[in-house]
């Protein structure tokens, strides 16, 4: 049975407008007839938050002993901090992830291996950790204490004792800024080879010239 527009009158004949439940009433506010400027007071003046800077790209690498040591230190820190702030019962029931999740720890290990986290803003940018402003300083201290030292291009040379027993602190000749004496030019004019006589062994003539001269003087 399809309802009609007069069903509310048949439902309650005692009221001139019929049944209040069955009567289709017009909405008091309609977008077609209402003024849109009345809603300007509900406009929000809050500006959009700035865009989050992108994270660094982590290249593939193999974890070292320093990385595993930092991982153990971060696990111990979040367990102790969870027990201190939320209590041991929350640590036993929910685990230390309520303080720092495993994905955040893995991100810290990866970035610390490549020396990408040296300050609290960098920690917040790379991990997106909500508690970075409050506990970021403690995490930075753990990173600086357990990460591998940066490689240096300088080579330390041990000091040597001289004959008198004192330490020779003279710098090597590599750092000597005194002008060096000019090298002598090589002698490109080689001495001319002289003929040597096969009969008498003296220089200046050969055996044929000596034999001819001997016949002429004989």
């Amino acid at each position: 049975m399809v309802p009609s527009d007069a069903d509310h009158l048949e439902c309650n004949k005692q009221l001139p407008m019929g049944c209040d439940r069955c009567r289709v009433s017009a909405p008091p506010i309609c977008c077609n007839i209402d003024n849109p400027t009345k809603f300007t007071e509900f406009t929000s003046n809050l500006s959009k938050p700035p865009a989050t800077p992108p994270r660094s790209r982590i290249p593939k690498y193999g974890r070292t002993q320093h990385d595993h040591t930092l991982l153990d230190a971060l696990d111990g820190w979040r367990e102790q901090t969870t027990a201190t702030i939320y209590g041991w019962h929350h640590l036993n029931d929910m685990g230390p992830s309520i303080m720092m999740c495993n994905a955040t720890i893995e991100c810290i290990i990866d970035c610390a291996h490549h020396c990408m986290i040296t300050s609290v803003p960098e920690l917040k940018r790379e991990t997106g950790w909500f508690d970075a402003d409050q506990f970021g300083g403690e995490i930075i201290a753990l990173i600086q204490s357990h990460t591998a030292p940066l490689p240096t291009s300088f080579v330390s040379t041990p000091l040597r004792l001289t004959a008198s027993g004192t330490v020779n602190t003279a710098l090597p000749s590599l750092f000597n800024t005194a002008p060096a004496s000019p090298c002598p030019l090589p002698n490109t004019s080689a001495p001319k080879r002289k003929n040597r006589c096969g009969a008498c062994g003296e220089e200046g003539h050969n055996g044929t010239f000596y034999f001819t001269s001997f016949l002429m003087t004989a």
Side-chain angles (χ1 to χ4, degrees), residues 70-82 105 142:
L70 178 59
L71 177 60
D72 296 338
L74 291 174
D75 284 334
W77 176 88
R78 69 172 180 172
E79 290 182 2
Q80 184 64 34
T81 307
T82 302
I105 289 185
L142 290 177

Side-chain angles (χ1 to χ4, degrees), residues 3-190:
S4 62
D5 296 338
D7 288 343
H8 61 284
L9 299 176
E10 298 293 336
C11 181
N12 191 351
K13 298 180 180 180
Q14 297 179 0
L15 297 176
M17 299 298 296
C19 180
D20 295 336
R21 295 183 178 180
C22 299
R23 184 179 71 251
V24 179
S25 59
I29 299 176
C30 182
C31 297
N32 296 330
I33 62 177
D34 200 23
N35 188 3
T37 57
K38 293 183 179 180
F39 298 93
T40 56
E41 57 180 334
F42 302 102
T43 304
S44 176
N45 296 325
L46 298 178
S47 59
K48 294 183 179 180
T52 305
R55 299 180 181 180
S56 302
R57 183 178 180 181
I58 306 298
K60 294 182 179 180
Y61 71 99
R63 289 191 175 181
T64 61
Q65 183 61 34
H66 292 86
D67 300 328
H68 294 290
T69 304
L70 178 59
L71 177 60
D72 296 338
L74 291 174
D75 284 334
W77 176 88
R78 69 172 180 172
E79 290 182 2
Q80 184 64 34
T81 307
T82 302
T84 303
I85 296 178
Y86 300 102
W88 287 101
H89 55 285
H90 284 88
L91 177 61
N92 296 330
D93 296 339
M94 305 180 64
S97 296
I98 59 177
M99 192 68 204
M100 178 183 289
C101 63
N102 296 334
T104 302
I105 289 185
E106 294 294 330
C107 183
I108 292 176
I109 298 298
D110 296 338
C111 294
H113 180 86
H114 299 283
C115 303
M116 296 180 179
I117 296 180
T118 57
S119 61
V120 175
E122 292 178 352
L123 174 65
K124 191 174 182 179
R125 181 193 64 192
E126 298 294 344
T127 62
W129 187 34
F130 294 103
D131 295 328
D133 294 332
Q134 183 177 0
F135 302 101
E138 300 180 17
I139 302 301
I140 297 299
L142 290 177
I143 293 175
Q144 295 176 353
S145 301
H146 297 87
T147 53
L150 294 176
T152 177
S153 58
F154 296 97
V155 179
S156 59
T157 304
L159 300 177
R160 293 179 297 179
L161 295 177
T162 59
S164 60
T166 59
V167 178
N168 185 11
T169 58
L171 295 177
S173 59
L174 178 63
F175 301 97
N176 189 7
T177 57
S181 58
C183 299
L185 296 177
N187 187 9
T188 57
S189 59

Side-chain angles (χ1 to χ4, degrees), residues 199-210:
C200 65
E202 296 182 359
E203 296 180 353
H205 62 275
N206 51 22
T208 304
F209 177 78
Y210 176 79

